[in-house]
Amino acid sequence: MKKLFAIMFLAAAILGGDPTYLQAGNPYVKGGIGYFGSDDTVDAVWNSGQEVYNFEAGYDFGRLGVGLEYLYSPNDVVDLHALMINGYYYFPKSDLFVSAGFGGVHPKNDMIDFDTSNITTAYQVGAGAEIQLYKNIEICPTVGYFNTITDIHEGDVPVDIETFYAKLGLKINL
């Protein structure tokens, strides 16, 4: 019983007694375009410095949010497809947020014999802003870091993606 009260006290302290954590979910869709930047730690099979496209659908719950994001980055060697579950924290009295996500990555290559049945896991962390343009439309600049947790190997060629990114998106609150 003491552990339960300790957990409840800790949760109340973290949430600060703010009722905006308990609001009903507001659905949204978001789409954008961005850029995966260069990073010296990216293996030769991944040509960084490529564009990235994303689409996300989710819910905002006051100062918290959750979304399911699809990322696609066409590349000269390996195209990247990723499906990420993202969590958001929106700072009070501000347009700023931080995010973290986890998901699966599927590299695809039609030019060489690459086993496309391989799927690896990845995570991303980011920060950005949601700037209101109209009543239900916001522009969302975001910067972040994307990394595959496990490598995919095709022979001696590992696919290990570790890169910073910048994205600009448009969010429509439904």
Side-chain angles (χ1 to χ4, degrees):
M1 190 67 162
K2 288 182 182 181
K3 287 182 182 179
L4 177 61
F5 283 119
I7 291 170
M8 289 173 52
F9 177 78
L10 180 61
I14 291 172
L15 300 178
D18 188 349
T20 59
Y21 284 103
L22 305 175
Q23 290 180 353
N26 297 316
Y28 70 85
V29 292
K30 183 176 7 178
I33 186 169
Y35 181 78
F36 272 145
S38 289
D39 192 314
D40 292 338
T41 61
V42 177
D43 292 329
V45 72
W46 174 259
N47 292 334
S48 59
Q50 299 291 321
E51 67 269 14
V52 60
Y53 304 95
N54 72 310
F55 175 79
E56 181 172 331
Y59 283 88
D60 286 334
F61 302 95
R63 289 182 22 206
L64 300 176
V66 63
L68 183 64
E69 177 183 33
Y70 170 72
L71 289 165
Y72 170 66
S73 182
N75 193 286
D76 294 338
V77 179
V78 177
D79 292 344
L80 173 75
H81 301 266
L83 191 61
M84 308 291 287
I85 298 173
N86 297 320
Y88 295 91
Y89 175 79
Y90 301 98
F91 291 100
K93 300 179 183 176
S94 168
D95 294 330
L96 303 177
F97 67 86
V98 292
S99 65
F102 178 81
V105 176
H106 179 242
K108 186 172 188 318
N109 188 322
D110 295 329
M111 297 184 303
I112 59 174
D113 184 22
F114 191 84
D115 184 5
T116 58
S117 65
N118 288 322
I119 294 178
T120 187
T121 53
Y123 68 92
Q124 63 181 353
V125 292
E130 291 184 348
I131 303 160
Q132 189 169 6
L133 294 178
Y134 299 105
K135 182 177 180 181
N136 291 328
I137 300 175
E138 299 169 336
I139 190 166
C140 306
T142 307
V143 295
Y145 173 77
F146 181 92
N147 188 17
T148 52
I149 296 172
T150 54
D151 293 349
I152 298 174
H153 292 274
E154 182 59 31
D156 293 331
V157 181
V159 175
D160 178 21
I161 303 163
E162 180 180 359
T163 186
F164 290 92
Y165 64 81
K167 295 186 289 189
L168 182 62
L170 191 66
K171 179 178 178 180
I172 300 172
N173 297 304
L174 305 175

